[in-house]
Amino acid sequence: MNRIEFLKNTTPFDTLPEEVLERVANELQEVNFKDKGIIYQQHNTKITGLDLIYEGGYMAFFFDSHGVKQHKQKLRKNDTYGAFSILLNKGKSINTVEVKEKTKVLKVAAPLFKELCNTHEEFYQKFLSVFGKEMLDEKYAHYVIKQEARVEDAITYDRYFNSRLEPSVMRYISSCSPDTPAYEAAAMMEEEKISCIFIQDKDSYIGYVTDIILRNKIIADRRDSDTPVKDIMETDIYSITMESYIYEAILLMFKHKIRYLLVEENGETKGVISRNKLLADQAQSPFIFLQSVRQAISVEELEHKWSEVPELAYNLLTRGVKSELVNEVISNISDTIDQKVIDGVIEEMGPPPAKFVYMCLGSEGRKEQTLKTDQDNAIIYEDKANEFRELTREYFLTFADKVSERLNTIGFTYCSGGLMAKNPRWTHSLSHWKRNYDKWIEEPNPEAVMNFSTFFDCRLIYGDEELIAQLQGHILKKLHDPGEYFFAQLANNALQYEPPLSFFRGIKTISKGEKKVFNIKRAMTPLVDLVRVYALRYKILKTNTGERLQSLMDERVFSEKDYHELMQSYYYLMGMRLKNQAHQIMYDKESPDNFISMDSLTKIEIVTLKEIFKVIENFQQRIKIVFLKKLFG
């Protein structure tokens, strides 16, 4: 085969005119590799030209921080290597590349390759499109972006977010029977030098007692020291599997305000881990910061802690931590602040006159909170007899007003649309909330659909879980057969925003001062809304977008390819949004917004964004077919 025929069989050279192919063929440089070996090192070796494999082959991969090969790709005859490195990575090899024995390569010199890209748009775009599709693969994108991080940061990432629980962090479970006197339990704890003892009834652990419980319920309450431990024990016991990540265990402990977790392996309880032990092993981790938030006392302290969150988020993102984990850290900090404020208000006002739930909505309800955040919350309280209704309502409206005011001081600004518990419209009894949802489902006009979507993304922050469980059970019954019109209206509402793609498949921008920008929140909104519609259709009560996508794949509503593309698209945008907001706060000293300047983007980011916007556009087209065909015929 002559060189021109070879080029015609190599994509995207098949797009070039005959005379251009002749010129390229004449200028090809032949390179022969006799032995197997590494020829390019990731993010290090300078690429002098585009390699066209004529005989033999390459193995392209990434080394992770442990020196293990990841994301291996075999390149064979007519495949190319080096385009992304030349065009998007300042001429440095994106991958590490190992060549096979007896490999023959025809090389297009970098200056000629760049000239072809500048003068032949289809040729250029095909390379970019391939790269953009690669970046929708989470592993590929992770290693491409992670190369920009320092080695010590990569190690930090592995320690905090890539390490699973180990037997070394777990200890034997000390236990006693429910009728054991408190003083005997205390003696056992002293003898074994432990701060927690579990209460075991036959083969089950039914509660636990800590040194703090003994202090508060025996000494402070002046109870008799021979009080049975079953009368003072805490009964909220949580467990986690041995395969879990360290960060999952710590976040679970913060979420439920607990200090101990039972560890299970193959369904059998193996031991217990303590929060203090895990935090001590993570001395410089963000979880120490979470602990410091829990220990804050005043509103002023909480305000100061919240002001430090942008730097924490920025450092995590630049270390390569996934944006969904950064979201989770931010949400846990926000939840902790909410809980501290609520505790303070209850202490000031006295115990509530009824069981209640303080819930968050919107992005906070989905655990997708960013650094530009306002208050989206509501209150459900249990139904009371007529003579107590006004008193109960008065308490919770006053309570909501105080909580909201303190949150605003801390940095969670008032919602401009009034979607807050301090608004009498959004603080009601359980029966009233059920009627709200009934009306929104039965009369799905645009406003009702918007309210339903917002309040479907609700999550308990404080209070009695049973109330929110009852409400969710009621919603599920109503969703049994709400009619196609309801879902059509939801889908129509979810199609209000389109990805910012221009007619010529570029990124559509608007002017903000002298800068060309696009609104990244609006670009992400279709993904959130459309995934929510599918979740509603299939009665999935999870609120987080990623968790909804996982459930939809598990239910075989979405294919594995759909899942990975949508997950990577959403959280790539989320990472960019968080990093931009953190940068605005830390370096520009201005309030964060959702506008991304085109000047701030790298070539890799621009290419990836275009591909992501195409994915969103295709997703919108699909939902039009699935949900709107009956609405419009």
Side-chain angles (χ1 to χ4, degrees):
M1 182 188 298
N2 64 38
R3 290 186 173 186
I4 292 180
E5 287 301 314
F6 171 73
L7 289 173
K8 286 181 179 179
N9 290 321
T10 302
T11 305
F13 285 87
D14 55 356
T15 64
L16 298 175
E18 189 80 22
E19 63 274 15
V20 176
L21 288 176
E22 289 182 12
R23 180 194 165 193
V24 174
N26 291 332
E27 295 190 32
L28 288 172
Q29 304 163 19
E30 184 174 318
V31 181
N32 289 284
F33 298 96
K34 182 181 177 181
D35 300 317
K36 177 181 178 181
I38 300 293
I39 57 173
Y40 301 129
Q41 293 280 0
Q42 63 197 60
H43 210 54
N44 187 27
T45 308
K46 185 75 174 178
I47 299 290
T48 59
L50 178 71
D51 293 353
L52 283 64
I53 300 174
Y54 193 84
E55 292 175 0
Y58 284 175
M59 174 71 77
F61 54 86
F62 298 99
F63 279 122
D64 65 16
S65 56
H66 300 292
V68 178
K69 295 177 182 178
Q70 300 285 356
H71 200 272
K72 294 185 281 190
Q73 293 176 298
K74 290 182 179 179
L75 303 178
R76 302 181 178 86
K77 184 172 182 176
N78 291 111
D79 287 334
T80 67
Y81 181 79
F84 309 154
S85 305
I86 295 169
L87 295 172
L88 305 170
N89 205 39
K90 299 179 181 177
K92 296 290 182 69
S93 180
I94 284 180
N95 297 81
T96 292
V97 176
E98 184 178 68
V99 65
K100 290 183 178 180
E101 294 178 354
K102 299 179 182 179
T103 291
K104 179 178 179 179
V105 170
L106 301 179
K107 188 182 290 285
V108 181
L112 174 57
F113 175 61
K114 289 180 181 177
E115 180 188 329
L116 293 173
C117 289
N118 287 330
T119 53
H120 298 278
E121 184 67 19
E122 186 180 358
F123 176 81
Y124 176 57
Q125 288 298 333
K126 279 203 173 184
F127 276 114
L128 294 186
S129 178
V130 170
F131 180 77
K133 286 183 171 65
E134 288 276 26
M135 288 294 284
L136 292 176
D137 183 316
E138 180 185 2
K139 286 188 177 179
Y140 185 86
H142 167 68
Y143 284 108
V144 169
I145 295 167
K146 188 178 173 182
Q147 288 177 49
E148 300 173 4
R150 299 188 304 275
V151 173
E152 59 267 29
D153 285 338
I155 293 171
T156 298
Y157 165 82
D158 288 335
R159 186 166 75 247
Y160 296 159
F161 294 100
N162 219 24
S163 299
R164 297 183 188 273
L165 295 173
E166 297 177 354
S168 61
V169 302
M170 184 174 64
R171 67 166 175 77
Y172 171 77
I173 302 175
S174 295
S175 64
C176 64
S177 69
D179 294 320
T180 302
Y183 74 87
E184 282 189 21
M188 293 171 65
M189 292 164 68
E190 167 59 24
E191 183 179 350
E192 298 184 35
K193 304 302 179 188
I194 56 176
S195 55
C196 176
I197 189 166
F198 281 81
I199 316 305
Q200 188 170 11
D201 186 15
K202 296 180 181 178
D203 295 329
S204 301
Y205 295 106
I206 61 171
Y208 62 90
V209 170
T210 66
D211 47 7
I212 294 175
I213 292 172
L214 289 171
R215 182 194 68 192
N216 293 346
K217 293 190 176 182
I218 296 296
I219 299 173
D221 288 352
R222 297 185 179 183
R223 287 193 186 188
D224 202 308
S225 64
D226 60 5
T227 300
V229 288
K230 66 184 179 184
D231 293 345
I232 60 170
M233 68 182 183
E234 292 289 334
T235 57
D236 292 333
I237 295 180
Y238 294 88
S239 60
I240 197 166
T241 64
M242 198 68 199
E243 296 75 33
S244 302
Y245 290 100
I246 288 173
Y247 82 86
E248 291 179 307
I250 296 175
L251 290 179
L252 184 62
M253 290 174 174
F254 278 116
K255 177 181 178 182
H256 295 291
K257 300 182 182 180
I258 55 175
R259 294 165 58 199
Y260 301 93
L261 277 176
L262 296 182
V263 182
E264 295 181 350
E265 190 172 32
N266 299 323
E268 184 180 347
T269 302
K270 291 291 187 179
V272 62
I273 52 175
S274 76
R275 191 174 70 203
N276 288 346
K277 168 65 175 170
L278 290 183
L279 290 177
D281 292 344
Q282 309 292 316
Q284 299 301 316
S285 80
F287 306 119
I288 292 294
F289 181 83
L290 261 171
Q291 180 78 329
S292 72
V293 176
R294 286 186 60 84
Q295 293 171 345
I297 297 173
S298 66
V299 170
E300 290 73 23
E301 281 185 86
L302 292 171
E303 181 183 7
H304 175 70
K305 288 298 178 185
W306 183 246
S307 72
E308 294 179 309
V309 172
E311 184 174 1
L312 173 68
Y314 191 81
N315 287 337
L316 290 173
L317 290 164
T318 53
R319 287 172 182 167
V321 175
K322 295 178 181 179
S323 57
E324 53 263 49
L325 297 184
V326 179
N327 272 148
E328 195 161 354
V329 170
I330 294 172
S331 294
N332 270 272
I333 293 169
S334 173
D335 289 357
T336 302
I337 291 173
D338 284 346
Q339 290 157 4
K340 295 287 290 185
V341 168
I342 290 170
D343 279 334
V345 171
I346 289 176
E347 187 176 345
E348 179 184 309
M349 291 183 62
K355 294 178 182 178
F356 77 102
V357 162
Y358 180 94
M359 59 184 181
C360 60
L361 317 165
S363 60
E364 191 178 355
R366 295 191 303 274
K367 292 190 287 189
E368 294 162 11
Q369 197 163 1
T370 67
L371 301 172
K372 177 180 170 57
T373 185
D374 58 8
Q375 295 183 41
D376 290 327
N377 46 58
I379 289 175
I380 308 170
Y381 53 83
E382 67 176 333
D383 289 281
K384 303 294 283 186
N386 288 340
E387 60 268 29
F388 297 112
R389 281 183 185 174
E390 287 305 314
L391 180 65
T392 302
R393 182 161 177 75
E394 183 182 342
Y395 176 96
F396 284 113
L397 286 175
T398 303
F399 165 84
D401 198 62
K402 288 179 181 289
V403 170
S404 190
E405 182 183 349
R406 292 177 195 186
L407 289 177
N408 184 64
T409 300
I410 290 166
F412 301 90
T413 56
Y414 293 128
C415 174
S416 57
L419 201 65
M420 299 176 289
K422 67 174 293 181
N423 181 344
R425 190 179 176 192
W426 307 124
T427 288
H428 280 295
S429 66
L430 177 61
S431 61
H432 193 288
W433 274 108
K434 287 179 178 179
R435 289 194 295 273
N436 278 347
Y437 280 92
D438 288 348
K439 184 176 181 181
W440 293 335
I441 293 172
E442 293 165 5
E443 303 173 20
N445 57 54
E447 182 184 357
V449 162
M450 189 175 298
N451 284 333
F452 183 89
S453 298
T454 301
F455 283 91
F456 186 66
D457 292 349
C458 66
R459 182 170 61 87
L460 179 143
I461 295 291
Y462 194 105
D464 193 311
E465 287 188 72
E466 180 57 29
L467 289 175
I468 207 162
Q470 287 184 42
L471 181 61
Q472 288 176 333
H474 180 79
I475 295 169
L476 281 179
K477 286 181 182 177
K478 292 298 293 185
L479 287 176
H480 182 67
D481 186 22
E484 290 299 321
Y485 187 73
F486 171 72
F487 288 112
Q489 284 288 6
L490 280 173
N492 197 44
N493 182 65
L495 294 169
Q496 297 304 306
Y497 296 119
E498 296 180 344
L501 275 176
S502 67
F503 182 76
F504 296 104
R505 319 310 284 167
I507 295 178
K508 190 188 299 181
T509 62
I510 59 173
S511 295
K512 189 171 183 281
E514 297 179 356
K515 294 180 180 179
K516 295 292 185 184
V517 302
F518 70 93
N519 189 321
I520 194 166
K521 180 180 179 181
R522 288 196 173 188
M524 297 171 67
T525 297
L527 280 173
V528 175
D529 290 350
L530 297 173
V531 171
R532 184 195 297 115
V533 174
Y534 274 98
L536 281 164
R537 164 60 71 85
Y538 293 94
K539 301 180 181 63
I540 293 167
L541 291 179
K542 291 183 171 68
T543 59
N544 177 262
T545 300
E547 291 175 356
R548 285 171 173 170
L549 281 168
Q550 178 71 55
S551 295
L552 288 165
M553 181 181 72
D554 293 343
E555 295 288 331
R556 302 184 183 277
V557 179
F558 288 166
S559 68
E560 192 171 340
K561 180 176 181 291
D562 290 335
Y563 167 77
H564 287 296
E565 280 195 354
L566 294 170
M567 278 286 286
Q568 175 62 9
S569 296
Y570 184 65
Y571 286 110
Y572 186 92
L573 294 175
M574 180 62 80
M576 182 176 286
R577 184 180 176 192
L578 286 170
K579 196 179 292 186
N580 182 65
Q581 290 177 354
H583 194 280
Q584 288 176 314
I585 295 168
M586 292 164 56
Y587 299 109
D588 300 336
K589 305 300 180 186
E590 61 184 27
S591 297
D593 58 34
N594 290 303
F595 294 105
I596 303 292
S597 169
M598 295 300 294
D599 294 338
S600 70
L601 300 177
T602 65
K603 291 180 179 178
I604 286 177
E605 288 171 329
I606 291 172
V607 170
T608 307
L609 283 173
K610 288 180 182 178
E611 203 59 40
I612 285 172
F613 294 157
K614 290 176 190 174
V615 168
I616 297 173
E617 190 175 59
N618 291 337
F619 191 27
Q620 286 187 313
Q621 291 302 318
R622 191 162 85 182
I623 205 165
K624 286 178 182 176
I625 295 171
V626 173
F627 289 101
L628 298 187
K629 58 184 178 182
K630 292 189 178 180
L631 183 64
F632 298 111

